[in-house]
Amino acid sequence: MIKVFSDFLAWTRENEWGCDESHNLKLADGTKLSVWDSGVLEVTPENPGRKDIILSCAVHGNETAPIEICRDIINDIINEKQTVTHRTLFLIANPASINKGERFVEENMNRLFSGAHSKGDTQNKERERAAKIESYVERFYQSAPDGSLERLHYDLHTAIRDSKREKFAVYPFTHGAPYSRQQLQFLLACGVDTVLLNQAPTTTFSYFSVRQFNAQAFTVELGKVRPFGENDRTQFAGAENSLRKLISEMELEFG
């Protein structure tokens, strides 16, 4: 198996600012894997369910717990240990900052969405990458099968400062749309019992999906910044298990 599929994260890090080649793989159950760019993997079941799901991480490269979670889910999908029922797009947003071990290389990527990457005179690779990521989100949602689908996006982070709440989420400004009780229940199943409600537009990745594609999207903070291999993954088991169930089960039940 070629490296892009044998170790997707390592291949992504080797191509830190992107790769023009596309790669495809079909699993035994008919699931199609399509790599659009470094860190960009679309998973399409043979008979997709009614959700279009984006799981993103590494908007900040030193927030390693979500990267490890996405890495392991991706590896299990490729090795046919994790089933996928709904179309899912994985986005490892800023591989160069992973390699640097820093929050960002030149500019905070989570301030560059909703077109902010093209404003002003500043030019850098993070702005270019943010623009590409916006295009991948559009491509994914707009290429969905006909009919009304539920659009979901969980942008996974870790906090850079100590917090009384180890896990919390930010609910982007909804422009008057009602908050989703079902999504709040899902976040609770992830171990997230605190949700901050944004009261104005922002340039974050999750707000971009809310505003441009009417998705249910959230910035989800899981624990603190730590080096790779030093995260206590048991602290995030609820989040990982819930994400695995989300992509594999037709409908989730909340007890």
Side-chain angles (χ1 to χ4, degrees):
M1 185 181 291
I2 60 175
K3 188 167 187 178
V4 62
F5 292 116
S6 64
D7 194 335
F8 182 71
L9 177 60
W11 176 83
T12 291
R13 295 179 68 172
E14 288 175 2
N15 297 275
E16 61 181 17
W17 289 118
C19 179
D20 293 333
E21 298 176 0
S22 60
H23 299 274
N24 299 282
L25 179 69
K26 190 171 184 178
L27 304 180
D29 66 356
T31 298
K32 295 179 182 178
L33 308 183
S34 300
V35 177
W36 299 348
D37 194 350
S38 61
V40 185
L41 172 65
E42 181 192 42
V43 182
T44 306
E46 191 168 32
N47 297 295
R50 304 300 297 171
K51 296 180 174 72
D52 283 340
I53 301 165
I54 295 178
L55 301 181
S56 59
C57 65
V59 167
H60 300 132
N62 62 345
E63 298 176 358
T64 58
I67 302 170
E68 291 177 354
I69 290 170
C70 288
R71 174 201 65 195
D72 292 351
I73 295 175
I74 290 169
N75 287 343
D76 283 350
I77 292 171
I78 293 171
N79 292 306
E80 301 183 75
K81 298 177 180 178
Q82 169 72 50
T83 59
V84 180
T85 298
H86 307 282
R87 293 176 69 243
T88 303
L89 182 68
F90 291 91
L91 288 168
I92 301 174
N94 196 345
S97 68
I98 299 176
N99 292 339
K100 191 176 181 182
E102 300 287 347
R103 188 169 169 82
F104 51 84
V105 178
E106 293 186 60
E107 191 171 3
N108 184 349
M109 185 179 283
N110 215 25
R111 300 293 179 267
L112 294 177
F113 292 98
S114 295
H117 51 74
S118 300
K119 295 179 180 178
D121 297 327
T122 302
Q123 294 183 337
N124 57 52
K125 288 186 177 296
E126 259 143 341
R127 288 183 169 231
E128 295 173 5
R129 178 74 173 175
K132 285 184 177 181
I133 290 171
E134 286 187 348
S135 73
Y136 298 142
V137 172
E138 180 177 16
R139 174 179 171 183
F140 177 69
Y141 283 141
Q142 301 291 15
S143 63
D146 291 339
S148 177
L149 300 182
E150 183 179 6
R151 292 173 172 176
L152 304 172
H153 178 191
Y154 304 95
D155 186 32
L156 307 177
H157 290 255
T158 61
I160 59 174
R161 299 180 181 87
D162 289 334
S163 172
K164 293 181 180 179
R165 302 290 186 179
E166 184 183 51
K167 305 176 190 71
F168 63 93
V170 180
Y171 207 134
F173 186 53
T174 64
H175 294 267
Y179 298 117
S180 169
R181 180 184 296 273
Q182 184 181 48
Q183 286 303 302
L184 295 175
Q185 288 177 316
F186 176 75
L187 291 171
L188 188 59
C190 289
V192 176
D193 62 1
T194 301
V195 178
L196 308 179
L197 307 177
N198 262 347
Q199 300 300 308
T202 63
T203 53
T204 63
F205 193 12
S206 57
Y207 174 76
F208 168 74
S209 292
V210 170
R211 187 58 172 162
Q212 298 300 318
F213 302 103
N214 200 30
Q216 291 287 341
F218 302 86
T219 303
V220 183
E221 304 278 357
L222 301 172
K224 287 180 59 180
V225 167
R226 287 185 172 85
F228 278 111
E230 295 186 16
N231 296 293
D232 181 359
R233 292 284 293 276
T234 63
Q235 298 296 314
F236 314 117
E240 180 173 350
N241 291 339
S242 295
L243 292 170
R244 287 177 179 270
K245 288 180 180 179
L246 176 71
I247 66 175
S248 64
E249 297 182 7
M250 194 63 70
E251 294 296 338
L252 295 180
E253 297 292 335
F254 301 103

